[in-house]
Amino acid sequence: MATSVLVIGTGTIGEPLIGLICDHKKDFGIDEVIFHKRTPLKTDRSKVLDLIERRGAKLAVDEDRVDDFAELGMKASYVAPEALERAAVVLDCTPVGNKNKEELYGDYIDNTKGFIAQGSEFGFGKMYARGINDSALVPGEDKFMHVVSCNTHNLSVILQAIAFPAAEFDRTAAASKPTVGNTKNLESARFVCIRRSNDISQDKGFMPSPVVDKHKDPKFGTHHARDVYHLYNTMGIELPNLFSSALKLNTQYMHSVHFALELAEPTSVDKIRETIQRNDRLAETWKTSVNSVFSFGRDHGHFGRILNQTVFCLPSLHVSEDGRSVTGFCFTPQDGNPLLSSVSGMLWYLDPSNYEKRTQVLEPYFFDEV
C-alpha cells in the first residue's frame, strides 16, 4: 500500500516542509506528498505550480474550491476529505491546528498514524523537539504531536548544551537519542527572545520600532519558558526558576536569544564549545550580526534554511570567574528547527524503530559552523 503524507498550509513552515519531504521522499519511504491549500490566489500560483510540477507534490483543496483553483490554472488531485483519508501522517502548518483537531481530525483518527501541529498550537498533543524528548514518545499512544516553536527549541538546546551536557554523545545519531545530562545542575535561567517582526515572505505585520511583549504568565513570563518547562516535563523533569521575556524588532531576518544561566557546577567556554561541536543540532559562529547568519542560511541551506536548532554566537559567550554564571547570545534558525522536528516526528509515526536512521539524509543541512 502506498504511503502518503499530507501537509496542510503553504506558509513559512508549510512550503519549505513540502519541498523538504518531496526532495527526500524516497529516502523517507514515502510514495506521495499531498499539500492542502485553502484559498486560490493568483499571487500564490507560481508557488503552487512549482510544488506540483518540479517537486512532484499533489494539490488538495476544499470541495467547494476545486473550480476556483482550476480557473487559475491550478488543478487539484484531491479534495480535502480524500487527502485526509489517504494520509498516513498529517502535518498541520496552520495557526488553527487545535480547531482542526476539534472539528476535523477525529473523523480520520483510525486511518491516520499521527497528526502534527506547529508551535502556536499549545495543547494539541505531546510536545516534541528532536533530540530533547524523543524518549517521551509512546508508539500507539501519542496520536497527536505538538512540535514546539522555534524559540522554544532554542531555549531547550541552550539548557541542554550548557546546563545538562551528556557525558557521552553519539554524533552519528544526529542527536536523536536523549542527550540530557544532570538536570539538577540548573539553578535558574532567564531568557530574552529578540524576535523578527515578520518573515521576508510576509507583507503584513511589520513594525516601525521595537515592541515589547507583556509578561502574561505569572510564573514563566512569556510562553517560551512555559513551553520549555512542559517540554522537559514530558520526561518527568521539573526544571526550576525559568523565566522569559520577548520583544519584536523592526527586522525581517531572524530571531536572537539572550540567555543568563546560573549553574550548581562550574563550567567553562571550552567545555561549552566541546558540547556544541559534539552535537549536530548545534552550530557555532564568529559572526555577530543577524544578517550575516541569515545570509549563510539563504546561500547554503535548503529553501534558505539551515536545520540546526540554534547557532551559538561565540564572541558573546561569557562565563564568570567561578564558572557558575553563563551568559551570551544565540541566533534562532526560526524555520529550520521546527522543520527538523516535524520531519523527525513524521518519520517516527511511519516507523518508530527506524526513524533515526531515515532522518540522517538531512545531515547536509546541519552545519558545524555558520
Side-chain angles (χ1 to χ4, degrees):
M1 182 177 179
T3 299
S4 302
V5 297
L6 170 64
V7 180
I8 299 179
T10 59
T12 57
I13 296 292
E15 181 184 6
L17 183 59
I18 297 162
L20 189 64
I21 299 171
C22 284
D23 288 352
H24 300 288
K25 66 180 183 179
K26 182 178 179 180
D27 299 294
F28 293 157
I30 293 169
D31 301 297
E32 182 181 55
V33 181
I34 309 170
F35 68 100
H36 176 270
K37 183 163 175 53
R38 181 177 297 277
T39 307
L41 298 170
K42 285 184 179 179
T43 52
D44 286 344
R45 179 167 55 196
S46 57
K47 170 172 65 177
V48 171
L49 292 181
D50 185 72
L51 290 172
I52 296 172
E53 296 172 1
R54 188 160 67 93
R55 302 282 174 175
K58 296 182 179 180
L59 174 64
V61 302
D62 294 339
E63 293 181 81
D64 60 349
R65 297 290 181 90
V66 173
D67 292 339
D68 296 331
F69 274 90
E71 287 177 5
L72 293 178
M74 295 175 280
K75 184 178 179 181
S77 297
Y78 303 108
V79 293
E82 291 174 332
L84 285 164
E85 190 69 35
R86 295 177 67 86
V89 181
V90 175
L91 299 105
D92 192 319
C93 300
T94 73
V96 290
N98 279 319
K99 181 180 178 181
N100 288 338
K101 176 183 177 181
E102 180 180 347
E103 298 180 355
L104 190 61
Y105 296 152
D107 294 336
Y108 301 92
I109 197 167
D110 291 334
N111 68 278
T112 306
K113 293 184 177 182
F115 300 84
I116 300 174
Q118 301 297 321
S120 62
E121 301 307 286
F122 185 79
F124 181 86
K126 181 167 283 183
M127 287 180 144
Y128 177 60
R130 179 171 170 81
I132 297 291
N133 69 326
D134 293 73
S135 61
L137 300 178
V138 182
E141 179 179 313
D142 293 320
K143 294 281 285 190
F144 293 91
M145 182 185 297
H146 171 211
V147 169
V148 296
S149 72
C150 51
N151 277 322
T152 302
H153 274 86
N154 197 342
L155 272 57
S156 299
V157 298
I158 289 171
L159 292 177
Q160 187 182 49
I162 297 175
F164 317 138
E168 297 181 0
F169 176 73
D170 180 6
R171 182 179 176 82
T172 62
S176 60
K177 295 182 183 299
T179 57
V180 177
N182 177 22
T183 56
K184 301 297 183 183
N185 189 39
L186 180 68
E187 294 188 345
S188 68
R190 296 185 69 90
F191 304 96
V192 179
C193 300
I194 307 165
R195 305 169 60 200
R196 63 179 181 185
S197 60
N198 68 342
D199 186 79
I200 57 172
S201 65
Q202 298 170 331
D203 293 322
K204 298 179 180 179
F206 189 78
M207 296 177 173
S209 65
V211 177
V212 299
D213 284 1
K214 298 178 180 178
H215 290 116
K216 297 180 181 180
D217 191 295
K219 181 177 180 180
F220 297 108
T222 65
H223 76 87
H224 308 91
R226 177 205 67 188
D227 290 355
V228 170
Y229 173 85
H230 287 291
L231 178 68
Y232 275 90
N233 197 238
T234 63
M235 299 179 287
I237 298 171
E238 299 276 345
L239 295 182
N241 302 322
L242 301 180
F243 194 85
S244 60
S245 304
L247 72 154
K248 288 184 178 180
L249 298 186
N250 46 333
T251 177
Q252 292 182 300
Y253 286 143
M254 64 193 303
H255 306 319
S256 306
V257 171
H258 177 264
F259 56 88
L261 310 185
E262 296 293 328
L263 309 178
E265 299 293 332
T267 189
S268 67
V269 171
D270 288 342
K271 288 181 181 179
I272 295 169
R273 285 199 66 192
E274 181 184 354
T275 301
I276 295 169
Q277 291 166 359
R278 287 189 296 134
N279 191 326
D280 276 3
R281 290 176 297 111
L282 311 181
E284 61 183 20
T285 187
W286 292 100
K287 298 177 174 68
T288 56
S289 68
V290 163
N291 72 306
S292 58
V293 175
F294 178 88
S295 178
F296 180 92
R298 178 195 62 186
D299 294 337
H300 302 283
H302 186 278
F303 269 67
R305 278 83 170 175
I306 64 174
L307 299 189
N308 299 80
Q309 290 178 331
T310 192
V311 180
F312 279 89
C313 179
L314 294 179
S316 75
L317 194 57
H318 178 269
V319 178
S320 62
E321 289 185 358
D322 66 1
R324 296 180 55 213
S325 299
V326 184
T327 58
F329 286 90
C330 285
F331 301 114
T332 305
Q334 54 265 17
D335 299 323
N337 47 31
L339 288 174
L340 171 62
S341 292
S342 295
V343 169
S344 180
M346 174 192 73
L347 294 174
W348 180 83
Y349 277 126
L350 294 176
D351 185 358
S353 66
N354 198 38
Y355 78 106
E356 296 170 5
K357 182 178 179 180
R358 287 192 183 276
T359 310
Q360 299 313 304
V361 70
L362 301 181
E363 190 172 3
Y365 311 120
F366 300 111
F367 297 91
D368 298 329
E369 183 175 1
V370 169

